[in-house]
């Protein structure tokens, strides 16, 4: 479905096979539109394989989705299998310690030892033979066309992939893990879609489906609630309903590399460079070398400056609450003080934050960290940056907080936000005061708090509509007499009052969290990019604010 004149596949050093534009595109234009190579729908109870695969999962621990995706590959023709393998995946030997590779090795061994369906081993052997025959045919065609000399042909024969059953299963599963797209309540592999290059910076395309679903991401976690995207306009009808496409997010010129973000356009873009690279390497088995990871300041990893944040510390050495998470009135006062200080030619009295310049860090500069407020420079020693105020190690301070936020993030993705954990606000304030309001973990926690309080507000508003009318007013009685049971019930707050107070408190925290996020993220990324980063979350928060007015 993709026109040959619109995109082309090229091989580039360090990137492998990539997709480039051969014509110009404007924001909103469809760049790539194609039907999937393979589509595996969600397994439903009506499927004859539902009960057998559920029993297999209980016995051997391999999810039904894994078996279905591999069976889809084996059911395809030899040419289709070759195109699936051409989607590309990293060499398992180069990432032998990665959890994804270990999982693939484990699954392959169990599947061969305990076949999930009859004739499974025959299907695997047949696929291996087909791939070997396909490779021999390609070699013969290359010889007939005289496209390679004898030395090159010999080298190719030496490097020929020997498809054994175990290796083929590992390869196919890694293809699904690193290239799968969410598609029509299932998963799919795309020929062109698998060639788009990842970037942590602003990508020039985003994936959508013809049904109008929001853009999912690549890989095994495609379709998670955490990867919800901003709407890119109404669904675009295509010649075939079963199609996925990539829409342009910015101006694209002929020859431009087509990029997307494997982590989606949601909150994971707000992660720091080390956290983001760790996530990409664990899930997609590559180390990102985009401009944001190698040439820019890590704006999501702002640490309170050891040199100039001292006056803003409380007795417990944490940042004062009105500095880390000010209320609206305090924000306005701080902004007025800053404007007045700038008008007077001074730097103002605000807490400074240090950032790491990734280009200087990779170049071996002695002091790649610098404070935006006082200009003080620091070496790449996180223990030194945190050591002035905390005697504990960096891993205990920052590493533990990041790990806790990521665990909370995963639990939020897996379960709906039906209630706010006890003392959530105290935890939010504590971590923001500890890490500072320019740290990605603090931002994510504020977003989680916003989402949870939005859920509380929705429930409170629903209860307010369904709650019965307030009890009738009881006439006053002589004060000298003891209060009757009816008077005691009257003195207790009625249900509507409790619901209204709950809604007001939730709305207040939503507004406070959002104001803090906007203030700090827009100050480091600019208002336009901050609006893109926070648009999805603020759309829900704005509805909360309107409802609470």
């Amino acid at each position: 479905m993709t026109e040959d004149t619109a995109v082309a596949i090229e091989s580039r050093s360090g990137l492998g096979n990539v997709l480039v534009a051969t014509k110009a595109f404007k924001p909103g234009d469809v760049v790539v539109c194609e039907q999937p190579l393979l589509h595996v729908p969600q397994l439903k109870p009506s499927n004859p394989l539902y009960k057998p695969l559920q029993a297999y999962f209980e016995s051997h621990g391999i999810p039904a989705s894994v078996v279905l995706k591999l069976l889809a590959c084996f059911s395809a023709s030899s040419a289709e299998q070759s195109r699936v393998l051409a989607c590309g995946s990293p060499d398992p030997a180069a990432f032998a310690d990665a959890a994804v590779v270990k999982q693939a090795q484990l699954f392959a061994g169990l599947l061969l030892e305990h076949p999930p369906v009859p004739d499974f081993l025959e299907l695997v052997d047949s696929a291996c033979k087909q791939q070997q025959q396909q490779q021999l045919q390609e070699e013969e065609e290359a010889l007939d066309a005289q496209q390679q000399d004898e030395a090159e042909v010999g080298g190719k024969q030496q490097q020929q992939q020997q498809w054994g059953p175990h290796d083929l299963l590992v390869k196919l599963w890694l293809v699904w893990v690193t290239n799968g797209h969410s598609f029509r309540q299932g998963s799919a592999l795309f020929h062109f879609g698998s060639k788009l290059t990842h970037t942590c910076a602003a990508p020039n395309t985003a994936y959508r489906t013809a049904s109008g679903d929001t853009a999912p991401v690549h890989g095994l976690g495609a379709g998670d609630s955490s990867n919800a995207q901003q709407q890119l306009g109404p669904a675009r009808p295509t010649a075939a309903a079963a199609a996925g496409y990539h829409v342009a997010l910015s101006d694209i010129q002929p020859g431009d590399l087509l990029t997307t973000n494997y982590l989606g356009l949601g909150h994971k873009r707000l992660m720091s460079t080390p956290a983001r690279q760790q996530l990409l390497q664990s899930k997609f088995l590559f180390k990102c070398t985009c401009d944001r990871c190698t040439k820019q300041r890590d704006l999501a990893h702002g640490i309170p400056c050891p040199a100039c944040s001292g006056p803003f510390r409380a007795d417990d050495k944490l940042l004062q609450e009105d500095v880390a998470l000010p209320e609206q009135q305090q924000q306005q006062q701080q902004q007025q003080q800053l404007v007045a200080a700038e008008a007077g030619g001074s730097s103002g009295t605000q807490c400074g934050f240090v950032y790491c310049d990734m280009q200087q860090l990779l170049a071996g500069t002695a002091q790649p960290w610098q404070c935006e407020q006082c200009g003080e420079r620091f070496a790449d020693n996180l223990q030194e940056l945190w050591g002035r105020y905390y005697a504990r190690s960096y891993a205990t301070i920052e590493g533990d907080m990041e790990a806790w936020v990521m665990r909370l993030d995963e639990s939020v993705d897996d379960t709906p936000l039906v209630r706010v954990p006890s003392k959530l606000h105290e935890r939010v304030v504590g971590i923001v005061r500890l890490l500072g309001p320019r740290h990605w973990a603090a931002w994510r926690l504020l977003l989680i708090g916003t989402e949870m309080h939005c859920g509380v507000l929705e429930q409170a508003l629903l209860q307010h509509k369904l709650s019965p009318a307030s009890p009738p007013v009881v006439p006053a009685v002589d004060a000298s007499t003891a209060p009757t049971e009816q008077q005691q019930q009257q003195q207790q707050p009625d249900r509507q009052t409790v619901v209204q107070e709950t809604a007001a408190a939730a709305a207040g925290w939503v507004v406070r969290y959002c104001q803090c996020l906007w203030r700090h993220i827009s100050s480091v990324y600019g208002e336009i990019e901050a609006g893109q980063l926070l648009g999805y979350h603020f759309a829900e928060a704005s509805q909360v604010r309107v409802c609470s007015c």
Side-chain angles (χ1 to χ4, degrees):
M1 295 181 64
T2 300
E3 299 180 4
D4 295 338
T5 57
V7 296
I9 298 176
E10 294 183 1
S11 180
R12 294 194 178 182
S13 176
L15 296 176
N17 291 332
V18 299
L19 205 63
V20 297
T22 57
K23 57 179 284 188
F25 295 96
K26 294 292 184 182
D29 291 346
V30 175
V31 179
V32 174
C33 183
E34 59 178 331
Q35 292 179 333
L37 291 173
L38 294 177
H39 172 222
V40 178
Q42 186 179 8
L43 184 63
K44 297 182 179 180
S46 58
N47 192 314
L49 291 175
Y50 181 83
K51 290 185 178 180
L53 292 184
Q54 289 297 322
Y56 186 81
F57 169 71
E58 294 175 359
S59 300
H60 305 289
I62 299 181
S65 60
V66 175
V67 180
L68 289 176
K69 290 173 182 178
L70 294 175
L71 289 176
C73 296
F74 298 141
S75 301
S77 65
S78 177
E80 290 173 336
Q81 290 178 10
S82 298
R83 297 185 76 184
V84 168
L85 292 170
C87 289
S89 65
D91 181 10
F95 297 91
D97 295 332
V100 172
V101 175
K102 291 181 178 179
Q103 183 188 58
Q105 300 280 4
L106 175 63
F107 284 173
L110 289 173
L111 289 167
L112 293 175
E113 184 177 357
H114 306 282
V117 295
D119 301 330
F120 181 81
L121 297 181
E122 288 78 1
L123 290 172
V124 177
D125 290 336
S126 176
C128 291
K129 293 177 181 178
Q130 288 179 2
Q131 291 310 308
Q132 292 172 357
Q133 293 175 357
Q134 183 77 14
Q135 287 183 343
L136 290 175
Q137 183 179 355
E138 291 175 356
E139 288 181 7
E140 293 175 357
E141 292 176 353
L143 285 172
D144 294 340
Q146 295 183 350
Q147 295 178 349
Q148 297 177 336
D149 57 24
E150 184 176 352
E152 291 176 332
V153 173
K156 183 173 181 180
Q157 290 175 344
Q158 293 176 358
Q159 298 175 357
Q160 179 179 351
Q161 174 72 49
Q162 298 297 324
W163 293 111
H166 187 277
D167 295 335
L168 182 60
L169 288 173
V170 171
K171 174 69 174 180
L172 289 174
W173 179 238
L174 291 180
V175 167
W176 274 106
V177 168
T178 56
N179 295 281
H181 288 65
S182 293
F183 187 76
R184 301 181 68 185
Q185 296 184 343
S187 300
L189 291 174
F190 292 95
H191 175 60
F192 288 106
S194 66
K195 306 296 188 297
L196 273 82
T197 303
H198 166 80
T199 178
C200 296
N204 54 22
T205 72
Y207 169 75
R208 290 199 69 196
T209 62
S211 61
D213 297 335
T214 51
V217 295
H218 284 62
L220 189 62
D224 291 346
S225 60
S226 62
N227 300 320
Q229 310 291 302
Q230 300 178 38
Q231 292 290 342
L232 303 175
R236 300 173 182 274
T238 58
Y245 63 89
H246 290 262
V247 63
L249 298 179
S250 59
D251 290 328
I252 299 175
Q253 301 301 323
D256 285 354
L257 181 70
L258 296 178
T259 60
T260 189
N261 193 317
Y262 292 0
L263 300 177
L265 301 180
H267 63 81
K268 285 185 172 63
R269 288 184 64 192
L270 292 172
M271 298 177 73
S272 67
T273 297
R276 204 172 54 250
Q277 287 191 331
Q278 181 181 1
L279 184 62
L280 287 168
Q281 192 160 351
S282 65
K283 287 192 172 184
F284 301 100
L285 305 180
F286 75 94
K287 184 176 182 179
C288 184
T289 57
C290 70
D291 288 350
R292 185 180 176 190
C293 290
T294 59
K295 297 181 180 179
Q296 300 177 6
R297 287 194 307 160
D298 189 3
L299 298 177
H301 195 192
I303 298 176
C305 177
C308 65
S309 66
F312 302 96
R313 302 278 178 171
D315 294 338
D316 54 8
K317 296 184 180 180
L318 301 177
L319 288 177
Q320 301 170 15
E321 182 174 345
D322 59 351
V323 173
L325 190 62
E327 296 182 359
Q328 183 175 6
Q329 183 177 3
Q330 294 169 335
Q331 290 184 21
Q332 294 175 350
Q333 293 176 353
Q334 293 176 8
Q335 186 65 26
Q336 293 173 357
Q337 293 174 358
L338 181 60
V339 172
E342 291 176 349
S346 63
S347 60
T349 55
Q350 62 174 351
C351 179
F353 298 90
V354 294
Y355 298 94
C356 181
D357 189 309
M358 300 307 299
Q359 187 170 15
Q360 293 183 13
L361 176 66
L362 296 175
T365 303
Q367 295 179 317
W369 292 77
Q370 185 176 15
C371 177
E372 61 171 0
Q373 175 73 9
C374 66
E376 188 76 17
R377 303 190 71 95
F378 302 90
D380 185 37
N381 186 335
L382 291 169
Q383 176 61 40
E384 178 184 347
L385 289 172
W386 291 102
R388 169 173 288 197
Y389 298 104
Y390 307 105
R392 294 174 295 171
S393 66
Y394 156 71
T396 302
I397 299 171
E398 187 179 25
D400 286 357
M401 292 300 99
E402 290 182 337
W404 183 81
V405 171
M406 292 192 72
R407 289 195 300 270
L408 179 62
D409 190 17
E410 292 176 357
S411 66
V412 169
D413 292 341
D414 295 337
T415 58
L417 302 177
V418 296
R419 65 184 183 87
V420 176
S422 60
K423 299 183 179 179
L424 173 68
H425 177 66
E426 288 79 358
R427 297 182 184 181
V428 172
V429 173
I431 290 183
V432 175
R433 290 182 63 198
L434 174 67
L435 300 179
R438 299 285 180 89
H439 196 287
W440 74 268
W443 292 344
R444 180 53 188 149
L445 193 58
L446 288 169
L447 286 173
I448 292 175
T450 300
E451 295 166 4
M452 289 184 173
H453 281 298
C454 284
V456 170
L457 182 58
E458 288 182 6
Q459 291 184 352
L461 294 176
L462 180 61
Q463 292 176 5
H464 179 68
K465 292 179 180 179
L466 299 179
S467 61
S470 301
V473 178
V474 180
V477 296
D478 188 359
S480 60
T481 62
T484 64
E485 181 179 355
Q486 188 177 19
Q487 287 177 317
Q488 292 177 353
Q489 293 177 354
Q490 181 187 359
Q491 292 173 359
Q492 297 177 355
D494 60 81
R495 184 178 179 184
Q496 283 190 339
T497 302
V498 174
V499 170
Q500 290 173 354
E501 291 176 352
T502 302
W509 290 128
V510 167
V511 173
R512 186 172 178 182
Y513 290 170
C514 289
Q515 287 175 341
C516 181
L517 283 165
W518 176 256
R519 178 192 179 197
H520 290 285
I521 293 179
S522 63
S523 65
V524 294
Y525 286 105
E527 292 188 356
I528 294 178
E529 187 169 357
Q532 296 173 348
L533 291 169
L534 297 173
Y536 171 78
H537 303 278
F538 276 19
E540 183 179 9
S542 64
Q543 295 176 0
V544 169
R545 189 169 185 178
V546 170
C547 292
S548 62
C549 292

